[in-house]
Amino acid sequence: MARKMLKDGEVAVADGGGGESYEYDLFVIGAGSGGVRGSRTSAGFGAKVAICELPFHPISSEWQGGHGGTCVIRGCVPKKILVYGAAFRGEFEDAKNFGWEINGDINYNWKKLLENKTQEIVRLNGVYKRILGNSGVTMIEGAGSVVDAHTVEVTQPDGSKQRHTAKHILIATGSRAHLVDIPGKELAITSDEALSLEELPKRAVILGGGYIAVEFASIWKGLGAEVDLFYRKELPLRGFDDEMRTVVASNLEGRGIRLHPATNLTELSKTADGIKVVTDKGDELMADVVLFATGRTPNTNKLNLEAVGVEVDQIGAIKVDEFSHTSVPSIWAVGDVTNRINLTPVALMEATCFAKTVFGGQPVKPDYRDVPCAVFSIPPLSVVGLSEQEALEEAKNDILVYTSSFNPMKNSISKRQEKSIMKLVVDSETDRVLGAAMCGPDAAEIMQGIAVALKSGATKATFDSTVGIHPSAAEEFVTMRTLTRRVSPASKLKTNL
Amino acid sequence: MATATTDLRFSAAATSAKTLDRATVRARRGRFLHHLASRGLHLDHLLPSPFRLRSPFSVCRAAAYAAEGDGEKYEYDLFTIGAGSGGMRASRFASTLYGARAAVCEMPFATVASDALGGVGGTCVLRGCVPKKLLVYASKYSHEFDESHGFGWKYETDPKHDWSTLMTRKNLELQRLVDFQTDMLKNSGVTLIEGRGKIVDPHTVSVDGKLYTARNILIAVGARPSIPDIPGIEHVIDSDAALDLPSRPEKIAIVGGGYIALEFAGIFNGLKSEVHVYIRQKKVLRGFDEEVRDFVTQQMSLRGITFHTEQTPQAITKSDDGLLSLKTNKGTVNGFSHIMFATGRKPNTKNLGLEDVGVKMDKHGSVMVDEYSRTSVDSIWAVGDVTNRVNLTPVALMEGGALTHTIFGNDPIKPDHSAVPSAVFSQPPIGQVGLTEEQATEKYGDVDVYTSNFRPLKATLSGLPDRIYTKLIVCADTNKVLGVHMCGEDAPEIIQGIAIAVKAGLTKQNFDATVGVHPTAAEELVTMRNPTRKVRRNSAGKTNVEALRQK
């Protein structure tokens, strides 16, 4: 592999050159989305790269992880698989009015789904290892920690330790689910365990209003459980557009999930009948499983960062500059461990920018504007750009809001009572579309193309000039001609949803 | 609303005010009308629910239009023949946005169209997009049942489909849509006349013998299936009939390789008929991207559809047991319960009186129009399938909207037929926008082609052989994305947003700069980093293809 120039003009020869000699040009701690992308791309620029990762296990711990990281093993992929599985229930219901008769019982074999899911993530774990191997990246199994600015110590499962030196160190250790501290918290599980439960719960209690909580509520409900969802605010999904949050809440309810807004859990205890859950409103209920989806903490406490002077914030996230550079010149960090926007494609973007900056000779910052994302509730929510509230926050001009709430064509036969809703937030002066949102079937797939348009500064006029694809749900995005409301920044309302 | 009325008065007053020069008046009026149009109604295409109905935009019509002069000579400012997508759009916009006196005539509703039957809503709502998509939804379930096994679902008995439930519910929905659209026309202030329209002279339409005069006549009569005249053709069905069969076909032959044939092949296959598709060419979907043509055929075959290529039908015979045989140039196959011909559509221009008033037609019978949808007779216009430009509902809507702007807005605008996205609701479906690789190479010479053929996450669990194919065609010079093609689950929904990007002339860099939505199939379109091949035309005009990567 041909060696290219490094950022600082040195030829990237690991052993010597600038006086000091290192075993590797880059040592990466953590082979999740960011780490794998960072090491592969760097290797592609000619760097000599090693990466360390913990042994594979579906449930992560200090000693277990696996190539692929959260996304592949404990996040996006297994979650989406369970969402697919759960969504069939609604399909069966809808099928009836289209003439389909399913006589007798419909059974659900959770073990089979779990086996197939595990098989798939094991396969993907293998794919990631192969990709790394093919890119010429040295893989080392064990827990990495930083010894000094250029040295990483890897503790192997058998307890043996070895040290490796590198010109640059990239920390990409991700984050882990964290449990709120209430009596009986040890009875609760996190999303890791929830993706690998031996038995499907009949009664599930979920604490949390974020996307993980909402997704598991949809999954378990779809697979047949009774689900109670508790969250602190009046609506789930804080940070998303308020109007869309309302729609998601009403869809969850419509699909049979019991919502408990503005409610916290205060105590869990074990009984013969299951876990007794007590709320701050004094209510009690019984559950087979209690899921805490109450946030995630960066995996930094075993990295020895303080000793080498890598600064972290109060929740333990590594502080980085716009180029993902930490406070130590030879140490960088990408992905969830930096707690910027915690999404796989963002970690990929950060890692690619890192590799280009350090080994590609082309310093480039990740761009966080108009990052689309999706919540795979059933039906899903997907957004890109600003929410109406954010737009008003930032606005100099009036904001034009276009919304469309419609009955999806499929529901005209199935008679499912569930509207899809779409929204465009437009700057009244520049005509630029500042934000787009959709809640309804296929929202995540639909939003990707909308994101391309938004990212490139598309105006409402550009949307309007695009011909629709008929009949689709997505065509609504290019046929929203009637203004729903005009809001001026002065009139913005403070809410506490 | 109040502002709009005021503006209109201003507009009318300004027209008569001698102190303002004509150009100023035109400019003001243009701005105002543009303003109106941008806030106007748009939902006269598919309206699955009354929920979508918005209050019509009513204006002071006398003020808005009488100023044009000779309006009073005629009963109507616009008389439209045919209340399908294009006709409804034009007449409603004429009335609500421009205050024109609009009438539309349409024949009584029937699921199968004829010279005397049609229905408010037209092909799209009654015999095309809508019922077709409803049947696609119904038929997709069998694939979903298959998929569900890999996700742990099991049923005691295999799901069975009851044909009559589906037909009853579909027809209830169609009737609801007819009523809904009829109400919408009326609420828009458009006069609806039931009956068959025929042009008598450049300003007169006869509906079943009664005469109506109009300053402008719009022909929006659409098209109908056309089938070749071969022996035994009386035994076959067309797409109108196929959407409303009394019972499920046991074994059906579908003749044709266009999108209608493929959509019905998917529908019947999903509803458990044995399906055979007969095409004259080597490949289905002439005009589509070559690789997409291959891919969709492969995927449909994997779902159980049999394709018979390079076969031209010669005759159909019915045997004593009622079963049909199809004779082609390659032999005869027996035992079909149904034979469907999806061999193209013909504009409905017979007996419209067009020849007599001098409206020119091409050899297929389509009405010839200029870029503004004006026919060879000044006062007669035509939009939609009857003009055989791009035969899609949203295009007819665009043409109808542009037409009212041109006639009544005093600001001629041309419908823009570039980068019109479209979908084929085959199973798996296709979505596409812009040029095919062949067209792009022809037009630009040097193009970079990015392709991806992958197994979606759902298929890894279901164990089914479903795949997704995506293709991006990029101009090597400008980096503009010239065309995007996709075949696989959700392709039509995915391509809509992409179409905005292509319409806006965005580059591959714009696509690359966009962060993916993970995990989706669509993210593939923004993560295709390396071209699969580079097509280059050398100085001699010969095209070289450098294959860079096989994925």
Side-chain angles (χ1 to χ4, degrees):
Chain A
M1 198 172 291
R3 289 292 171 93
K4 292 186 183 157
M5 299 297 279
L6 286 186
K7 180 195 174 194
D8 53 7
E10 270 186 322
V11 176
V13 180
D15 49 355
E20 291 176 77
S21 75
Y22 302 110
E23 217 179 319
Y24 298 103
D25 297 318
L26 174 66
F27 196 100
V28 181
I29 306 178
S33 306
V36 170
R37 171 62 62 88
S39 50
R40 281 177 56 203
T41 312
S42 299
F45 286 122
K48 187 179 176 193
V49 183
I51 189 167
C52 70
E53 176 57 63
L54 302 168
F56 171 80
H57 196 277
I59 298 169
S60 68
S61 68
E62 274 163 34
W63 297 108
Q64 288 177 314
H67 291 80
T70 304
C71 168
V72 173
I73 302 170
R74 275 164 244 107
C76 320
V77 173
K79 170 268 297 281
K80 184 90 188 269
I81 288 172
L82 297 194
V83 170
Y84 278 133
F88 285 111
R89 178 177 304 274
E91 295 299 325
F92 299 151
E93 291 164 5
D94 291 349
K96 276 198 195 100
N97 278 339
F98 282 98
W100 288 98
E101 294 159 4
I102 308 178
N103 294 314
D105 281 348
I106 301 179
N107 292 314
Y108 185 71
N109 185 340
W110 168 253
K111 290 222 157 57
K112 181 167 179 186
L113 175 57
L114 208 62
E115 264 169 38
N116 287 352
K117 180 217 82 176
T118 306
Q119 206 181 329
E120 174 60 10
I121 63 175
V122 168
R123 187 185 73 82
L124 289 171
N125 175 255
V127 168
Y128 273 78
K129 285 189 186 171
R130 204 164 55 240
I131 289 173
L132 282 171
N134 291 343
S135 310
V137 175
T138 305
M139 281 174 278
I140 299 165
E141 195 170 75
S145 65
V146 185
V147 177
D148 64 37
H150 294 285
T151 310
V152 173
E153 182 173 85
V154 180
T155 309
Q156 287 177 321
D158 63 6
S160 65
K161 295 175 193 292
Q162 37 172 279
R163 290 188 172 196
H164 301 278
T165 61
K167 190 162 178 2
H168 297 277
I169 295 170
L170 177 65
I171 303 171
T173 51
S175 66
R176 266 221 299 289
H178 108 126
L179 296 173
V180 286
D181 196 9
I182 61 166
K185 69 168 181 182
E186 65 284 353
L187 297 172
I189 59 168
T190 69
S191 56
D192 281 14
E193 290 89 7
L195 289 164
S196 297
L197 289 177
E198 288 291 313
E199 299 284 337
L200 185 67
K202 286 199 170 59
R203 302 162 299 178
V205 164
I206 301 172
L207 175 63
Y211 77 96
I212 299 175
V214 164
E215 289 175 344
F216 274 100
S218 289
I219 289 169
W220 280 333
K221 187 65 207 174
L223 296 178
E226 292 294 308
V227 180
D228 286 272
L229 178 63
F230 293 84
Y231 44 90
R232 280 182 306 183
K233 297 283 176 178
E234 285 301 324
L235 289 170
L237 298 176
R238 192 159 55 96
F240 285 86
D241 188 284
D242 288 344
E243 194 171 12
M244 306 311 285
R245 294 167 71 192
T246 311
V247 173
V248 171
S250 86
N251 287 346
L252 292 176
E253 246 174 348
R255 298 249 178 173
I257 293 160
R258 288 190 291 263
L259 303 184
H260 306 269
T263 312
N264 245 317
L265 302 188
T266 53
E267 191 183 347
L268 309 180
S269 55
K270 199 167 186 171
T271 74
D273 184 35
I275 303 169
K276 190 171 86 177
V277 179
V278 184
T279 75
D280 61 358
K281 294 194 168 148
D283 296 327
E284 289 181 7
L285 65 159
M286 299 303 296
D288 303 308
V289 159
V290 179
L291 167 68
F292 280 6
T294 45
R296 297 176 63 85
T297 318
N299 286 324
T300 48
N301 57 344
K302 299 284 171 187
L303 289 175
N304 193 37
L305 296 180
E306 304 76 7
V308 287
V310 173
E311 285 175 27
V312 297
D313 69 12
Q314 75 275 10
I315 69 151
I318 295 177
K319 292 184 181 174
V320 287
D321 70 6
E322 287 175 302
F323 292 96
S324 302
H325 215 165
T326 73
S327 48
V328 175
S330 59
I331 303 182
W332 310 71
V334 296
D336 290 5
V337 76
T338 62
N339 195 28
R340 285 175 281 182
I341 297 179
N342 299 330
L343 295 169
T344 290
V346 171
L348 298 177
M349 170 175 70
E350 289 167 356
T352 303
C353 291
F354 155 80
K356 282 185 177 168
T357 299
V358 179
F359 298 105
Q362 31 173 333
V364 44
K365 300 173 193 174
D367 178 2
Y368 296 93
R369 195 179 52 80
D370 295 333
V371 170
C373 73
V375 178
F376 289 96
S377 45
I378 301 172
L381 166 71
S382 192
V383 304
V384 61
L386 305 180
S387 69
E388 184 178 343
Q389 294 74 37
E390 288 168 335
L392 277 175
E393 222 32 70
E394 293 187 10
K396 290 183 197 72
N397 311 313
D398 283 6
I399 297 299
L400 306 178
V401 179
Y402 296 80
T403 58
S404 171
S405 173
F406 59 95
N407 204 14
M409 192 197 275
K410 196 175 178 180
N411 295 4
S412 68
I413 301 291
S414 74
K415 302 299 176 197
R416 176 176 292 282
Q417 298 298 310
E418 191 174 80
K419 302 251 185 269
S420 287
I421 176 162
M422 289 178 179
K423 181 165 184 171
L424 289 177
V425 178
V426 179
D427 184 311
S428 62
E429 285 304 307
T430 63
D431 197 38
R432 261 184 78 155
V433 179
L434 304 173
M438 173 180 179
C439 183
D442 303 325
E445 300 288 353
I446 289 169
M447 200 56 61
Q448 184 69 75
I450 304 292
V452 179
L454 235 75
K455 180 81 180 174
S456 312
T459 59
K460 181 65 167 59
T462 313
F463 274 63
D464 293 347
S465 73
T466 305
V467 175
I469 293 183
H470 189 65
S472 67
E475 67 180 313
E476 202 65 20
F477 266 125
V478 298
T479 52
M480 294 206 270
R481 303 272 151 79
T482 313
L483 183 66
T484 307
R485 60 183 168 270
R486 182 182 185 108
V487 201
S488 99
S491 72
K492 67 187 155 202
L493 295 168
K494 278 269 177 255
T495 60
N496 187 31
L497 297 171
Chain B
M1 200 82 74
T3 330
T5 316
T6 318
D7 279 3
L8 266 173
R9 273 197 221 103
F10 160 75
S11 181
T15 312
S16 53
K18 301 274 190 292
T19 46
L20 286 172
D21 66 87
R22 290 181 73 96
T24 313
V25 171
R26 207 173 297 126
R28 283 197 186 169
R29 170 184 290 223
R31 260 204 311 279
F32 162 63
L33 289 168
H34 176 74
H35 172 70
L36 273 187
S38 70
R39 286 156 170 250
L41 279 174
H42 71 283
L43 284 173
D44 53 353
H45 63 297
L46 167 72
L47 284 137
S49 146
F51 192 85
R52 294 170 82 168
L53 178 59
R54 290 163 186 141
S55 63
F57 200 100
S58 63
V59 292
C60 172
R61 75 181 32 178
Y65 199 61
E68 291 293 335
D70 59 355
E72 302 309 321
K73 255 169 72 183
Y74 305 105
E75 283 168 85
Y76 296 102
D77 300 315
L78 179 68
F79 194 102
T80 302
I81 307 178
S85 306
M88 293 227 352
R89 168 61 59 99
S91 47
R92 288 188 49 236
F93 272 24
S95 172
T96 58
L97 298 182
Y98 303 101
R101 297 164 305 161
V104 61
C105 69
E106 177 57 68
M107 301 181 291
F109 169 50
T111 52
V112 176
S114 69
D115 276 346
L117 294 168
V120 173
T123 303
C124 169
V125 175
L126 307 174
R127 284 170 294 276
C129 319
V130 176
K132 168 269 298 279
K133 187 90 189 273
L134 293 177
L135 297 195
V136 168
Y137 279 128
S139 59
K140 269 174 70 177
Y141 285 111
S142 56
H143 192 69
E144 286 172 41
F145 295 136
D146 290 345
E147 285 177 316
S148 72
H149 297 310
F151 289 88
W153 294 93
K154 255 208 236 114
Y155 337 108
E156 266 174 28
T157 55
D158 277 342
K160 289 222 156 30
H161 187 255
D162 181 59
W163 190 267
S164 64
T165 300
L166 175 61
M167 288 301 133
T168 307
R169 290 189 181 270
K170 181 213 64 173
N171 286 339
L172 275 174
E173 174 61 10
L174 296 190
Q175 186 59 56
R176 190 186 71 78
L177 288 171
V178 170
D179 297 345
F180 180 71
Q181 305 236 355
T182 305
D183 286 350
M184 201 167 51
L185 270 180
K186 288 179 182 159
N187 292 337
S188 306
V190 176
T191 307
L192 175 61
I193 299 157
E194 192 171 84
R196 190 173 196 287
K198 188 173 177 175
I199 299 177
V200 179
D201 67 42
H203 294 284
T204 310
V205 176
S206 150
V207 181
D208 297 336
K210 194 166 183 311
L211 298 182
Y212 301 89
T213 60
R215 208 165 84 93
N216 294 283
I217 294 169
L218 172 61
I219 306 167
V221 293
R224 271 221 301 283
S226 102
I227 49 181
D229 191 15
I230 57 173
I233 199 71
E234 66 277 9
H235 301 302
V236 312
I237 57 171
D238 60 19
S239 58
D240 284 9
L243 286 165
D244 200 33
L245 290 176
S247 63
R248 177 177 68 97
E250 282 302 317
K251 181 177 173 182
I252 185 168
I254 299 174
V255 178
Y259 79 97
I260 298 174
L262 294 200
E263 290 178 340
F264 277 94
I267 287 169
F268 289 121
N269 185 54
L271 294 172
K272 304 292 184 186
S273 302
E274 182 184 333
V275 179
H276 295 260
V277 177
Y278 287 83
I279 56 176
R280 272 188 313 189
Q281 321 267 333
K282 280 199 174 94
K283 286 185 180 188
V284 299
L285 290 179
R286 192 154 53 93
F288 283 68
D289 190 88
E290 288 298 321
E291 282 172 301
V292 168
R293 298 171 74 181
D294 292 335
F295 182 84
V296 74
T297 310
Q298 224 171 53
Q299 286 282 305
M300 290 178 73
S301 303
L302 286 169
R303 293 194 187 193
I305 294 163
T306 311
F307 286 89
H308 305 267
T309 57
E310 297 181 273
Q311 298 213 24
T312 306
Q314 293 174 337
I316 292 102
T317 49
K318 192 170 191 168
S319 59
D320 295 341
D321 55 8
L323 294 178
L324 303 171
S325 304
L326 178 64
K327 180 174 181 281
T328 73
N329 55 320
K330 285 194 181 168
T332 300
V333 181
N334 306 313
F336 292 110
S337 63
H338 296 75
I339 297 177
M340 172 184 171
F341 270 58
T343 43
R345 296 176 64 86
K346 242 182 116 96
N348 287 324
T349 45
K350 271 197 186 148
N351 300 322
L352 266 183
L354 299 183
E355 299 83 351
D356 297 340
V357 286
V359 171
K360 283 195 188 140
M361 290 175 280
D362 70 9
K363 58 181 184 299
H364 304 291
S366 352
V367 175
M368 292 167 75
V369 287
D370 67 11
E371 288 172 303
Y372 299 95
S373 303
R374 195 191 283 257
T375 72
S376 50
V377 176
D378 272 358
S379 60
I380 302 180
W381 311 72
V383 296
D385 291 4
V386 76
T387 62
N388 196 27
R389 285 175 280 182
V390 179
N391 298 332
L392 296 168
T393 289
V395 171
L397 296 177
M398 171 174 69
E399 291 166 357
L403 176 87
T404 52
H405 201 79
T406 298
I407 300 180
F408 302 111
N410 204 14
D411 175 25
I413 58 169
K414 302 173 190 175
D416 178 0
H417 292 92
S418 70
V420 169
S422 67
V424 178
F425 289 94
S426 46
Q427 299 176 41
I430 297 168
Q432 60 163 18
V433 59
L435 305 180
T436 64
E437 184 178 342
E438 297 69 36
Q439 291 165 338
T441 309
E442 176 68 32
K443 190 166 175 192
Y444 292 93
D446 297 354
V447 297
D448 295 344
V449 181
Y450 297 76
T451 63
S452 174
N453 181 336
F454 63 97
R455 194 176 188 204
L457 182 58
K458 200 174 189 180
T460 62
L461 267 279
S462 72
L464 300 179
D466 301 346
R467 297 187 72 82
I468 296 183
Y469 180 80
T470 60
K471 183 178 208 171
L472 232 59
I473 299 148
V474 178
C475 178
D477 256 356
T478 60
N479 252 312
K480 260 192 195 177
V481 176
L482 303 172
V484 182
H485 305 264
M486 180 167 191
C487 179
E489 193 62 27
D490 297 329
E493 298 288 354
I494 291 169
I495 289 297
Q496 181 69 76
I498 299 295
I500 304 173
V502 172
K503 181 80 183 181
L506 298 187
T507 62
K508 183 65 168 58
Q509 281 84 351
N510 292 128
F511 277 66
D512 293 345
T514 306
V515 175
V517 180
H518 187 68
T520 60
E523 66 182 314
E524 197 70 18
L525 289 169
V526 298
T527 52
M528 297 206 269
R529 298 279 183 249
N530 304 306
T532 309
R533 57 182 168 273
K534 293 185 172 189
V535 182
R536 295 292 179 269
R537 192 154 52 196
N538 63 22
S539 49
K542 237 188 115 169
T543 297
N544 294 318
V545 178
E546 182 194 353
L548 297 162
R549 189 178 63 118
Q550 285 300 316
K551 188 167 173 184

